[in-house]
Amino acid sequence: MQSLFYSIFAHMEKFEINILGCGSALPTLRHQATSQVVNIREKLFMIDCGEGTQVQLRRSRLKFTRLNNIFISHLHGDHCFGLIGLISTFGMLERTADLHLYCQPELEKLLIPQLNFFCKGMPYQVIFHHINPKEQKVIYEDRSVSIETIPLEHRIPTCGFLFREKPTPNHILRDMIDFYNIPLWMINRIKNGEDFVLEDGTIIPNTKLTKPSAPPRSYAYCSDTAYFPRITEQIKNADVLFHEATFEESDISRAKQTHHSTAKQAAQIALDAQVKRLLIGHFSARYEDENNLLQEARSIFPQTFLANENMVFKL
Amino acid sequence: MQSLFYSIFAHMEKFEINILGCGSALPTLRHQATSQVVNIREKLFMIDCGEGTQVQLRRSRLKFTRLNNIFISHLHGDHCFGLIGLISTFGMLERTADLHLYCQPELEKLLIPQLNFFCKGMPYQVIFHHINPKEQKVIYEDRSVSIETIPLEHRIPTCGFLFREKPTPNHILRDMIDFYNIPLWMINRIKNGEDFVLEDGTIIPNTKLTKPSAPPRSYAYCSDTAYFPRITEQIKNADVLFHEATFEESDISRAKQTHHSTAKQAAQIALDAQVKRLLIGHFSARYEDENNLLQEARSIFPQTFLANENMVFKL
């Protein structure tokens, strides 16, 4: 019974961001190439897969078997060179479940010959789903989450990903269940909004028996991108925004030239989109540490945090 | 003058093996995928380039600009998935010198589309040199070293590499130079074998003025391979043999099945080839540590050592 009640009364389902790598194009001894795993109720969604991701995934202790979907933001090497190694290792570990890869069609063209050569006879399939980074579209959906592309502005076609949790049923108030002696079989109906009728015909309104579940959460991943205010509408009120912050403000001309953002620009997007918290990453290898980036972003948006390898950020 | 005399009288030129990774197919948190850098008089030769090699190379503090030649033993992912990242990073670092890649032709076919897509406009060239792993042949030569292929026995065509240092001139005996007041301009001629004639016509034989230089050293890299006694003749008397030792003796059936070697088999090769020292690596992910492998090898060949990441092994 305990586990039944635990699941009935649990308030917040798991929604966590695992940072596997938050460096930029040049890997360093401090930061790995880009990759994250979003853990939603123990379903794992990988975003980007730079070189070394498979080892970082192992380090995270996340279960390989829970990962069935990988999303690639764009086709720069620091966001996808780790794919072939990860796919190959899954094969050696005798994975059988399909692995779904959401990416631009060019990546399929580049990967297929490598898969045919290096991964012949693998016991599972890689299923490619082509995405168009220029359009805003739901590309994945299940009963707990939807994932949509966020068109970004970079040197090559690039999109971010917006994870939207689906609403969960209201929460039962356990003491009221006890008070009215409501039978177990009614509980799911009450969670879904029904009132309860006593034997004497008295109606106990649903609002007395439940409290609203936590509002659905959302996570917006935006990397790599120049400062691109058009995205604020789509990511409005996100619980967490991950936004690249490759450069300090003093390097803004380099940011413009390479279609990247400064920490202040990331913070401005967070402020305009009225998100709750901002996580910055994709740090340039030129900085010895990221405290300047953090201070610059916090001067505009105080709820800013630095990404770091092996960090788990809870929504 | 000091630096001149230092170079005249230095006895052993640098010849070092830098282990960047010595794990096997499945990368773990303890061992990286295979890669080594052989440093001969500050010329760097890379052997194999598994995923993560570029970060290990950075960690080694070896100078990227000194690396102009990469040798790939065979086309399993754990020996070459790091190439595209390394090549791409060299491009971002604005390398201009050609990078020579010695490999089987299939790798060129697989890499070219990736280079065209990910490394467009790189300021340097990758020059492919095809090797035939089934033949024993000198594939590289300069004034200090020759490198030849060592045919091995694995599931797919595979070769090792034998580095042979070229002989260096005799060493001048400084006190004799002073004693006979020999002018500087004669020194190179004496190093190359000439006698010295005093003003009164007395001949001072070369053997009184020099001592033989250290004998040329050699390094044999043999991975991946089943137990393959045929190689002992080619690698005879090598100063160091790196031989894969994927398995313990209790897993010998698995070794046979996968065309790998046990530690004892590696040691038997070392013994039969009468090499000076044996370095074992390519450790299976199944072992928590490698001490059993070491003990098993040492029971046959006492001068056995375990490879380890970031180790520098001097010849």
Side-chain angles (χ1 to χ4, degrees), chain A residues 25-29 51-55 58-59 75 77 80-82 84-85 88-89 92-93 106 110 113-114 117-118, chain B residues 25-27 29 51-55 58-59 75 77 80-82 84-85 88-89 92-93 106 110 113-114 117-118:
Chain A
L26 283 178
T28 64
L29 300 186
E51 184 177 353
T53 293
Q54 61 165 323
V55 172
R58 202 174 278 271
R59 189 166 278 127
L75 305 188
C80 62
F81 281 168
I84 184 68
S88 164
T89 290
M92 284 186 275
L93 294 173
E106 290 80 359
L110 288 163
Q114 297 179 65
F117 188 88
F118 291 112
Chain B
L26 283 177
L29 300 185
E51 183 177 354
T53 293
Q54 62 166 320
V55 172
R58 201 175 279 271
R59 187 166 280 127
L75 305 188
C80 61
F81 282 167
I84 182 68
S88 164
T89 291
M92 285 185 275
L93 294 174
E106 292 80 358
L110 288 162
Q114 298 180 66
F117 188 88
F118 291 112

Side-chain angles (χ1 to χ4, degrees), chain A residues 46-79:
Chain A
M46 180 175 280
I47 307 173
D48 289 337
C49 187
E51 184 177 353
T53 293
Q54 61 165 323
V55 172
Q56 285 295 92
L57 183 61
R58 202 174 278 271
R59 189 166 278 127
S60 74
R61 295 179 173 277
L62 293 165
K63 284 191 184 152
F64 285 22
T65 51
R66 297 276 186 183
L67 175 61
N68 296 316
N69 298 281
I70 301 179
F71 301 82
I72 303 296
S73 63
H74 68 298
L75 305 188
H76 277 153
D78 57 322
H79 292 251

Side-chain angles (χ1 to χ4, degrees), chain A residues 105-273:
Chain A
E106 290 80 359
L107 188 57
E108 178 174 7
K109 271 187 228 145
L110 288 163
L111 272 175
I112 290 289
Q114 297 179 65
L115 294 175
N116 290 343
F117 188 88
F118 291 112
C119 305
K120 241 176 295 182
M122 265 200 330
Y124 78 98
Q125 296 282 317
V126 179
I127 313 287
F128 288 86
H129 302 263
H130 294 169
I131 61 180
N132 176 357
K134 292 190 178 149
E135 72 181 0
Q136 178 178 330
K137 186 180 170 189
V138 173
I139 54 170
Y140 174 91
E141 195 161 17
D142 65 23
R143 64 193 183 91
S144 15
V145 66
S146 74
I147 303 174
E148 61 193 64
T149 44
I150 308 169
L152 299 174
E153 168 58 34
H154 194 40
R155 300 196 298 280
I156 59 172
T158 302
C159 65
F161 301 102
L162 178 59
F163 290 68
R164 294 186 197 268
E165 199 179 28
K166 294 195 174 165
T168 47
N170 288 339
H171 291 295
I172 293 284
L173 297 171
R174 185 177 176 171
D175 50 354
M176 301 306 277
I177 300 296
D178 292 345
F179 186 81
Y180 291 113
N181 205 13
I182 295 174
L184 262 180
W185 58 266
M186 269 299 293
I187 285 182
N188 261 336
R189 293 165 65 170
I190 290 171
K191 283 173 77 174
N192 286 316
E194 278 193 30
D195 299 332
F196 184 63
V197 184
L198 300 183
E199 281 181 13
D200 67 1
T202 314
I203 290 171
I204 312 296
N206 188 273
T207 50
K208 271 189 86 169
L209 303 172
T210 64
K211 61 172 184 181
S213 64
R217 293 160 290 180
S218 62
Y219 170 54
Y221 170 91
C222 297
S223 184
D224 297 356
T225 188
Y227 176 63
F228 195 46
R230 192 188 302 170
I231 64 176
T232 53
E233 195 178 333
Q234 187 183 359
I235 67 175
K236 203 91 183 171
N237 301 320
D239 290 81
V240 174
L241 165 63
F242 176 92
H243 197 288
E244 74 131 287
T246 309
F247 292 108
E248 295 180 2
E249 205 57 21
S250 58
D251 288 318
I252 193 165
S253 63
R254 183 82 186 133
K256 271 188 187 147
Q257 188 188 348
T258 57
H259 295 237
H260 282 297
S261 300
T262 66
K264 273 195 169 181
Q265 290 173 329
Q268 191 62 50
I269 295 287
L271 185 71
D272 294 344

Side-chain angles (χ1 to χ4, degrees), chain B residues 115-218:
Chain B
L115 293 176
N116 290 341
F117 188 88
F118 291 112
C119 305
K120 240 176 298 185
M122 263 198 333
Y124 77 98
Q125 296 283 316
V126 180
I127 312 287
F128 288 85
H129 302 263
H130 294 170
I131 61 179
N132 175 358
K134 292 189 181 153
E135 71 180 2
Q136 177 180 329
K137 185 180 169 189
V138 173
I139 55 171
Y140 174 91
E141 195 161 14
D142 65 23
R143 64 194 184 92
S144 18
V145 67
S146 74
I147 303 173
E148 61 193 62
T149 45
I150 307 170
L152 300 173
E153 168 58 34
H154 194 40
R155 300 196 298 281
I156 60 173
T158 302
C159 64
F161 300 103
L162 178 59
F163 291 69
R164 294 185 197 267
E165 197 178 31
K166 295 195 175 168
T168 47
N170 288 340
H171 291 296
I172 291 285
L173 296 172
R174 184 177 176 173
D175 48 356
M176 300 307 277
I177 302 295
D178 292 346
F179 185 83
Y180 291 111
N181 205 14
I182 295 174
L184 262 179
W185 59 266
M186 267 303 292
I187 285 180
N188 263 336
R189 293 165 66 169
I190 290 172
K191 282 171 80 173
N192 287 317
E194 277 192 33
D195 299 330
F196 184 63
V197 183
L198 299 182
E199 284 183 11
D200 68 2
T202 315
I203 292 172
I204 312 295
N206 189 270
T207 49
K208 269 188 90 167
L209 303 173
T210 64
K211 61 175 182 179
S213 63
R217 292 159 290 179
S218 63

